[in-house]
């Protein structure tokens, strides 16, 4: 394309009209991908609070946190996998599997802390298998993880016999890993926030994050400069599965029960929806973990708010689906506007 | 006489039963720009991939600065100072200019946790691009916001910054307007004058790159069929050779010699 290099840009930047600091911050905020989803979330809170005054009560916020925290942890891993250009359908099944690994390890005499590590290790193994099959055997990850989804589900059902089990951790483990504090899911909230912060940091500030973006943004180019794309993909599959395992164990402690039918594709789709609503592109190369966190919160607000407003469970999914689509359309519109009007 | 930068001796490469390169010997001096010309499918890409360490030759030797070497991988070749600039430029659209400049050679504030040193990378990238007279609005913009010529210039600047001794440019002016390619050729000229960088330009558009080359090699059907200083030949002569080859090939198809 014979486009001229935009010579005018340096000049226009050299003579700015020195906007106020607040203006700069405001503009930076509107330019960030997380802005639109945050605004959508606030609008939804206002709407639901006006229709159902119980919405902002402590017990309801606790409900919301429980839902959003689990999905946000799953979404953080899913974001990493999606950014590097892959997809993980199996993470919801790892969520169900890990508590059983932990439970049986504890039954066999392993202390809980170590049993939790073993549960996460089980997740890491699943991620490793997902990654190796995808990268080394060149199977699209959509197919790979579709296969492992069923395998893990079957495995969990087999080892559990299809029945839930009840772990009995000591109060310390219970309090640290998911148990509510004074009726409020404090530890779960803290874990979700910490994991979101950690993964956003990894994505934005570390070499691993940069190489993840590079792998998803330009696979060939990334390999040409010598980035180990196979390892980046395998590693992110492992991170995603480990987070899935961790979220599963948190929920298991919270409700003092491990259910072989918990999580599954429902949680996986909610995590993916959170990622996408939060601004992660399914085509890879671009995404944010904070956005996915906000996406999970918005999903939580939607399901919780509709439940409070008395919308029936049948109609709820239709409304949720519509809400996802509308959010996405608005998001795409906004980012187009940003790209066109922003320039920088 | 200047020093030798890169030389190949009778390199051949086969993929199964397909022979992509036969007996290719090229020689490149420091500060020299060699045009490696040829039509699509002549074996240019294969030769490039061998020189960058991506493929290993089936037979033949490679000498770098006079010593025989075996290029084990792309990273190995880059560590030696053989820097490729690919057609897709290996730039990441979603990532800003200065991080692209340091891609895979990132500076880190903390080696153990691999935390990137953005401030230093930004400063050095800015300095270096200014030195190379690459004109972009800012090193903070994403690559996707830049024109084709600017991207190419950044890719070249990146390789030079990485201490390239031999620069391999794959179709640097492909899909580019006249102005854009002039900008790139200008950057290449600067390389030649300022640094003692040896450059191989792979191209099938002879007219574009002819002026900037010191010497041209013509690759046809996996063989070097022509090797001459630019001042002793012309675009017309090269075109004539290629057309001649085409005519012969067509005759071979229409009236096969038995």
């Amino acid at each position: 394309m014979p486009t001229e290099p935009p010579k005018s840009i340096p000049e226009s930047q050299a003579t700015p009209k020195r906007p106020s600091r607040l203006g700069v911050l405001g503009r930076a905020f509107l330019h960030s991908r997380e802005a639109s989803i945050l605004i959508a979330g606030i609008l939804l809170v206002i709407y639901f609070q006006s229709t159902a005054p119980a919405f902002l009560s402590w017990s309801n916020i606790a409900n919301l946190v429980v839902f959003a925290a689990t999905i946000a942890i799953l979404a953080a891993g899913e974001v990493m996998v999606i950014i590097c250009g892959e997809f993980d359908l199996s993470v919801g099944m790892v969520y169900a599997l890990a508590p059983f690994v932990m439970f049986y390890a504890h039954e066999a005499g392993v202390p809980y802390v170590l049993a939790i590590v073993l549960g996460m290790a089980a997740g890491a193994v699943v991620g490793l298998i997902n990654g190796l099959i995808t990268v080394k055997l060149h199977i699209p990850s959509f197919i790979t993880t579709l296969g492992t989804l069923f395998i893990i589900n079957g495995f969990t059902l087999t080892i559990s016999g299809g029945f839930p089990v009840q772990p009995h951790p000591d109060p310390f483990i219970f309090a640290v890993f998911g148990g509510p504090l004074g009726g409020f899911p404090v530890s779960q909230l803290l874990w979700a926030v910490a994991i979101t912060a950690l993964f956003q940091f990894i994505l934005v500030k570390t070499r691993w994050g940069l190489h993840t973006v590079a792998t998803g943004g330009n696979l060939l180019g990334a390999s040409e400069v010598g980035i180990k794309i196979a390892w980046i993909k395998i590693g992110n599959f492992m991170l995603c599965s480990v987070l899935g395992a961790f979220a599963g164990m948190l929920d298991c402690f919270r409700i003092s029960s491990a259910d072989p039918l918990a999580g599954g594709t429902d949680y996986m789709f909610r995590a993916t929806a959170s990622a996408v609503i939060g601004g992660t592109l399914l085509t890879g190369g671009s995404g944010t973990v904070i956005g996915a966190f906000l996406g999970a919160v918005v999903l939580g607000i939607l399901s919780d708010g509709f439940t409070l407003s008395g919308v029936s469970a049948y109609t709820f999914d239709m409304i949720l689906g519509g809400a996802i689509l509308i959010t996405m359309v608005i998001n795409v519109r906004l980012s187009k506007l940003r790209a066109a009007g922003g320039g920088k | 006489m200047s020093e030798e930068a890169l030389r190949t001796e009778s390199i051949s490469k086969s993929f199964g039963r397909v022979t992509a390169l036969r007996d290719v010997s090229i020689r490149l001096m420091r500060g020299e720009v060699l045009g490696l010309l040829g039509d699509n499918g002549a074996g240019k890409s294969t030769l490039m991939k061998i020189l960058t360490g991506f493929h290993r030759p089936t037979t033949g030797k490679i000498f770098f600065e006079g010593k025989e070497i075996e290029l084990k991988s792309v990273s190995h070749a880059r560590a030696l100072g053989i820097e490729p600039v690919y057609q897709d430029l290996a730039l990441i659209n979603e990532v800003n200019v200065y991080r692209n400049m340091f891609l895979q050679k990132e500076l880190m504030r903390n080696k153990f946790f691999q935390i990137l040193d953005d401030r230093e990378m930004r400063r050095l990238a800015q300095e270096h691009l200014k030195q190379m007279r690459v004109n972009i609005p800012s090193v903070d913009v994403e690559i996707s916001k830049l024109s084709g010529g600017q991207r190419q210039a950044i890719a070249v600047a990146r390789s030079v910054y990485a201490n390239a001794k031999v620069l391999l440019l794959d179709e640097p002016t492909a899909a580019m307007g006249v102005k854009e390619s002039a900008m790139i050729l200008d950057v290449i000229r600067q390389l030649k004058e300022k640094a003692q960088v040896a450059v191989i330009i792979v191209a099938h558009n002879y007219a574009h790159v002819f002026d900037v080359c010191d010497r041209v090699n013509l690759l046809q059907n996996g063989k070097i069929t022509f090797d001459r200083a630019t001042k002793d030949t012309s675009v017309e002569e090269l075109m004539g050779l290629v057309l001649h080859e085409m005519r012969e090939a067509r005759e071979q198809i229409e009236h096969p010699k038995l």
Side-chain angles (χ1 to χ4, degrees):
Chain A
M1 268 199 304
T3 43
E4 259 186 78
K7 281 198 194 99
S8 56
I9 287 176
E11 274 100 75
S12 67
Q13 275 185 345
T15 54
K17 265 197 242 137
R18 209 92 208 110
S20 72
R21 180 161 289 187
L22 209 66
V24 171
L25 275 178
R27 199 165 309 156
F29 170 73
L30 285 176
H31 274 276
S32 80
R33 272 173 298 196
E34 293 86 3
S36 38
I37 181 68
L38 187 61
I39 292 168
I42 292 169
L43 290 178
L44 283 173
V45 169
I46 294 170
Y47 169 74
F48 284 124
Q49 179 62 19
S50 65
T51 54
F55 187 76
L56 285 179
S57 66
W58 274 113
S59 62
N60 190 52
I61 291 175
N63 262 342
L64 212 155
V65 165
V66 163
F67 174 89
T70 305
I71 299 299
I73 294 170
L74 294 174
E78 198 70 77
V79 164
M80 297 301 283
V81 172
I82 293 173
I83 290 177
C84 78
E86 300 296 339
F87 208 81
D88 188 352
L89 297 173
S90 70
V91 68
M93 294 305 175
V94 177
Y95 168 97
L97 167 71
F100 284 96
V101 173
M102 176 195 72
F103 179 82
Y104 291 125
H106 182 71
E107 292 277 280
V110 177
Y112 262 114
V113 174
L114 215 61
I116 291 170
V117 173
L118 283 177
M120 285 162 75
V125 170
V126 172
L128 182 65
I129 293 169
N130 281 340
L132 284 175
I133 293 175
T134 302
V135 171
K136 297 294 176 192
L137 302 180
H138 304 287
I139 309 291
S141 53
F142 202 86
I143 308 295
T144 307
T145 56
L146 185 65
T148 51
L149 180 163
F150 286 110
I151 293 174
I152 300 162
N153 187 30
F155 183 73
T156 308
L157 286 169
T158 307
I159 61 170
S160 67
F163 288 103
V165 292
Q166 276 80 39
H168 298 287
D170 56 75
F172 175 73
I173 294 287
F174 182 71
V176 173
F177 296 101
L181 205 76
F184 198 80
V186 178
S187 74
Q188 215 161 8
L189 178 64
L190 289 179
W191 277 116
V193 170
I195 287 170
T196 301
L198 175 68
F199 276 74
Q200 181 71 18
F201 182 84
I202 290 173
L203 184 61
V204 176
K205 292 286 176 199
T206 71
R207 199 172 193 225
W208 182 268
L210 177 58
H211 287 186
T212 298
V213 173
T215 301
N218 183 352
L219 186 68
L220 180 65
S223 70
E224 280 167 350
V225 299
I227 290 174
K228 293 185 177 63
I229 50 171
W231 172 229
I232 295 287
K233 288 191 172 188
I234 293 170
N236 280 321
F237 272 116
M238 291 174 74
L239 285 175
C240 181
S241 296
V242 168
L243 286 184
F246 190 69
M249 290 185 287
L250 284 185
D251 270 356
C252 162
F253 283 130
R254 179 176 58 82
I255 57 176
S256 299
S257 167
D259 183 351
L261 299 174
T265 51
D266 182 42
Y267 274 34
M268 177 273 296
F269 279 125
R270 281 166 194 268
T272 309
S274 303
V276 172
I277 289 172
T280 296
L281 294 183
L282 282 178
T283 44
S286 172
T288 103
V289 184
I290 292 178
F293 179 90
L294 294 173
V297 172
V298 164
L299 269 189
I301 292 171
L302 279 175
S303 32
D304 193 88
F306 283 131
T307 313
L308 274 189
S309 322
V311 174
S312 101
Y314 299 147
T315 33
F316 169 66
D317 270 359
M318 294 202 301
I319 296 171
L320 183 64
I324 290 174
L325 286 180
I326 291 168
T327 321
M328 282 318 298
V329 170
I330 294 172
N331 233 353
V332 169
R333 289 271 132 205
L334 277 181
S335 46
K336 275 210 181 115
L337 278 178
R338 271 198 297 271
K344 90 172 198 166
Chain B
M1 192 68 193
S2 55
E3 288 166 67
E4 180 181 282
L6 190 69
R7 178 159 60 94
T8 70
E9 217 177 84
S10 306
I11 278 189
S12 299
K13 177 71 184 176
S14 319
F15 299 97
R17 291 167 65 188
V18 181
T19 306
L21 291 176
R22 293 161 225 264
D23 221 10
V24 169
S25 300
I26 61 165
R27 191 159 184 238
L28 180 70
M29 310 310 251
R30 286 179 70 177
E32 184 183 36
V33 179
L34 172 68
L36 191 62
L37 310 178
D39 241 338
N40 295 329
K44 292 176 309 204
S45 309
T46 309
L47 183 53
M48 271 283 278
K49 282 182 175 160
I50 286 174
L51 295 179
T52 56
F54 190 83
H55 285 323
R56 235 119 308 157
T58 312
T59 59
K61 291 172 183 170
I62 302 172
F63 295 85
F64 179 69
E65 297 186 327
K67 282 191 290 276
E68 186 179 347
I69 48 158
E70 190 192 333
L71 297 172
K72 293 188 192 77
S73 65
V74 177
S75 311
H76 179 218
R78 289 183 84 200
L80 288 170
I82 303 174
E83 281 280 336
V85 176
Y86 296 96
Q87 217 168 329
D88 76 338
L89 304 178
L91 294 172
I92 314 299
N93 275 337
E94 296 82 356
V95 172
N96 66 29
V97 171
Y98 71 80
R99 279 187 168 191
N100 264 292
M101 285 281 294
F102 285 90
L103 201 59
Q104 178 58 17
K105 294 192 171 176
E106 296 89 354
L107 304 179
M108 278 171 278
R109 250 187 311 147
N110 182 316
K111 279 256 153 74
F112 184 74
F113 290 108
Q114 306 227 312
I115 296 167
L116 300 171
D117 189 346
D118 279 295
R119 187 184 293 183
E120 189 64 5
M121 288 194 286
R122 187 177 186 282
R123 188 181 70 77
L124 289 171
Q126 216 160 17
E127 204 173 84
H128 179 63
L129 287 174
K130 202 171 164 191
Q131 225 170 44
M132 295 272 300
R133 284 193 276 164
V134 175
N135 186 23
I136 52 162
S138 145
V139 292
D140 297 318
V141 296
E142 285 180 12
I143 292 291
S144 60
K145 302 268 158 68
L146 300 178
S147 73
Q150 289 171 323
R151 291 176 201 200
Q152 182 87 45
I154 285 165
V156 171
R158 171 170 72 180
S159 308
V160 174
Y161 187 75
N163 237 340
K165 290 173 180 151
V166 175
L167 201 58
L168 304 168
L169 298 178
D170 190 7
E171 299 281 2
T173 59
M176 230 176 251
V178 178
K179 244 184 187 167
E180 297 257 274
S181 27
M183 172 173 160
I184 289 310
L185 297 180
D186 195 46
V187 171
I188 295 170
R189 270 189 210 102
Q190 280 186 51
L191 280 184
K192 197 163 90 175
E193 283 162 23
K194 280 189 192 159
Q196 277 288 59
V197 182
V199 183
I200 298 182
I201 301 180
V202 177
H204 70 272
N205 191 334
Y206 314 147
H208 264 178
V209 299
F210 195 79
D211 284 344
V212 83
C213 296
D214 297 309
R215 210 150 49 81
V216 288
N217 281 5
L218 186 63
L219 199 58
Q220 291 178 303
N221 283 324
K223 278 185 287 193
I224 301 275
T225 54
F226 184 81
D227 176 3
R228 202 170 291 174
T230 317
K231 61 179 190 329
D232 299 331
T233 181
S234 63
V235 176
E236 289 72 26
E237 185 179 8
L238 283 165
M239 296 286 258
L241 283 168
V242 175
L243 287 175
H244 178 70
E245 182 209 3
M246 272 172 61
R247 244 177 259 126
E248 273 198 342
R250 190 178 306 151
E251 228 146 80
Q252 184 68 28
I253 293 164
E254 284 167 5
H255 312 285
K257 289 174 214 150
L258 297 174

